[in-house]
Amino acid sequence: MQTIISDLNQKIVGDTVVDFWSDYQKAIKSKTLENFRREIKNKRIINVRRIGKNIFIDLSENKTLYIHLKMTGHLLVKPQITNHKSQNFSHPPTSSPIGRGRGEGAKNYFDDKVNQYIHHIFYLKTGRTLEFSDVRKFAKIVLDDTRKIKELKEIKALGMDALEKKFTLEKFGEILEKRKDAPVGTVLMEQEKISGIGNIYRSEILFEAGILPQRKASSISVKERIKLYNSIQKVLKKAIKLRGTSDSDYRDTAGAPGNFQKALKVYRRNGAKCKKCGIIITRVKMGQRSVFYCPRCQK
DNA sequence: AGTTGTGTTGAAGA
DNA sequence: ATCTTCAACACAAC
């Protein structure tokens, strides 16, 4: 997620949206496709930021494009199309826009299956495109005044981002205190408490901390709380350094997978041996989602 | 071939 | 209120 933000800041800030195309209007919230298209035209991209898993692209005229990628959304920055025919924006890509640009010999990640479910395209002044691939069509796009985006209930409800300075050990303690009856594995995933930790990272964080996901928040000692807090920082920072986890379908803005999946210690490793102690990794369900842990290393 | 599971989360049901 | 289940959707893997 942070990888996408950094990439977008490097690549598209300063560029201008000249047109927009979509074949899935349902993703565009509280606006018709035509209004959205009209309003995003000729807006310059000022800055890209995020809170947890929520992406904000600040535009000129105090507008903000708010995007949530959900499970399978990808934002892909594609180079200028070279041999294009005259473009008709009401019927854009006749087939999947694949095999564009990129030097010969280099792997073209845009050919990957998961990068080909393009449902929205932002056409940029430089001739490049910001293309939005989304297999499962869960992702959402909202365009409004920056001020109004900030006031959206789902944004207001967000807790502190796990990596911002404001999220201190003390704040973490307060959060655990308020959720004492809940399993710590559940609390880590609650975006309204701490934003930014998803299903992969909660398992990895708990393994790093040596704490079982089922443990009640109230049972976490001061020493364990410190360990857990430090594990959140450590795991997330390492994942960012490795450009994210592509165990399933995450991709960066060049369509390339991350590298953190090679460093996963427990996630989706059920039935395999723990890398630390050799015992078999267990999987359990917590709130409809799988959690993975080592029954020996985690207590 | 049907079932299950998936960088998620919001709404409905109990 | 708060927790659990389901639904949005498509596809791969078991």
Side-chain angles (χ1 to χ4, degrees):
Chain A
M1 194 91 267
Q2 183 54 46
T3 304
I4 295 167
I5 302 302
S6 312
D7 282 1
L8 291 179
N9 270 313
Q10 255 179 48
K11 294 181 180 179
I12 63 164
V13 164
D15 213 332
T16 300
V17 178
V18 293
D19 211 339
F20 177 77
W21 167 87
S22 174
D23 71 352
Y24 190 67
Q25 301 196 35
K26 269 180 77 178
I28 298 157
K29 304 301 175 186
S30 61
K31 246 185 203 48
T32 64
L33 174 57
E34 270 320 301
N35 281 339
F36 181 93
R37 184 180 169 214
R38 185 155 38 81
E39 287 173 33
I40 196 134
K41 269 193 197 180
N42 302 316
K43 296 290 183 291
R44 197 162 55 85
I45 299 160
I46 308 282
N47 178 47
V48 186
R49 60 199 163 84
R50 70 170 182 94
I51 302 171
K53 309 166 193 174
N54 302 269
I55 299 173
F56 306 97
I57 302 180
D58 293 322
L59 305 170
S60 52
E61 295 171 51
N62 295 313
K63 298 283 181 188
T64 291
L65 183 62
Y66 160 44
I67 290 171
H68 198 303
L69 298 174
K70 299 286 179 87
M71 303 279 279
T72 57
H74 301 167
L75 287 172
L76 305 166
V77 179
K78 298 199 178 178
Q80 189 165 9
I81 308 163
T82 40
N83 300 313
H84 66 293
K85 296 168 191 146
S86 64
Q87 281 185 33
N88 180 349
F89 288 126
S90 25
H91 312 280
T94 43
S95 59
S96 313
I98 57 170
R100 293 225 209 117
R102 306 224 114 206
E104 43 275 68
K107 177 153 178 48
N108 189 349
Y109 291 111
F110 299 141
D111 289 343
D112 281 359
K113 191 118 190 240
V114 291
N115 286 326
Q116 291 189 26
Y117 296 85
I118 308 290
H119 294 295
H120 321 282
I121 302 179
F122 299 88
Y123 295 88
L124 305 179
K125 204 172 203 167
T126 54
R128 297 176 301 168
T129 53
L130 175 62
E131 307 196 3
F132 199 143
S133 170
D134 189 16
V135 177
R136 292 176 69 184
K137 301 199 270 201
F138 285 177
K140 68 172 172 185
I141 302 174
V142 186
L143 174 64
D144 213 329
D145 296 339
T146 306
R147 195 174 40 82
K148 285 188 182 162
I149 296 289
K150 225 174 278 175
E151 292 302 312
L152 289 173
K153 60 180 183 326
E154 65 266 41
I155 301 305
K156 270 169 73 177
L158 286 173
M160 275 170 290
D161 188 276
L163 287 179
E164 72 180 308
K165 285 196 200 87
K166 265 170 44 191
F167 178 61
T168 59
L169 177 61
E170 288 67 38
K171 298 277 189 214
F172 184 46
E174 287 168 26
I175 288 163
L176 291 176
E177 184 59 35
K178 275 187 209 135
R179 297 286 288 128
K180 40 173 158 285
D181 292 333
V184 68
T186 302
V187 180
L188 287 180
M189 289 263 286
E190 288 171 345
Q191 305 300 306
E192 60 278 15
K193 300 285 183 290
I194 311 166
S195 59
I197 301 173
N199 200 37
I200 293 180
Y201 296 129
R202 84 154 148 193
S203 286
E204 293 300 310
I205 288 164
L206 287 162
F207 176 80
E208 179 65 34
I211 294 168
L212 290 169
Q214 306 82 340
R215 287 273 304 279
K216 289 273 164 68
S218 58
S219 78
I220 302 295
S221 69
V222 173
K223 205 176 159 186
E224 286 174 321
R225 185 204 304 163
I226 295 168
K227 193 82 207 286
L228 195 49
Y229 178 81
N230 289 334
S231 299
I232 293 171
Q233 308 298 318
K234 186 175 169 184
V235 169
L236 295 181
K237 281 174 185 165
K238 185 177 176 190
I240 290 168
K241 198 172 233 173
L242 295 178
R243 297 186 59 80
T245 311
S246 302
D247 189 72
S248 49
D249 47 24
Y250 161 84
R251 296 295 186 276
D252 71 16
T253 63
N259 294 302
F260 192 71
Q261 65 275 15
K262 296 165 195 155
L264 292 173
K265 306 227 171 92
V266 288
Y267 185 77
R268 284 236 214 155
R269 293 195 67 249
N270 53 117
K273 288 178 184 166
C274 171
K275 293 185 173 180
K276 214 185 267 180
C277 79
I279 207 174
I280 301 300
I281 299 297
T282 303
R283 174 173 80 170
V284 292
K285 284 273 185 187
M286 268 183 66
Q288 300 295 92
R289 315 252 356 233
S290 294
V291 195
F292 305 82
Y293 64 90
C294 169
R296 185 182 290 166
C297 296
Q298 293 172 251
K299 304 202 185 304

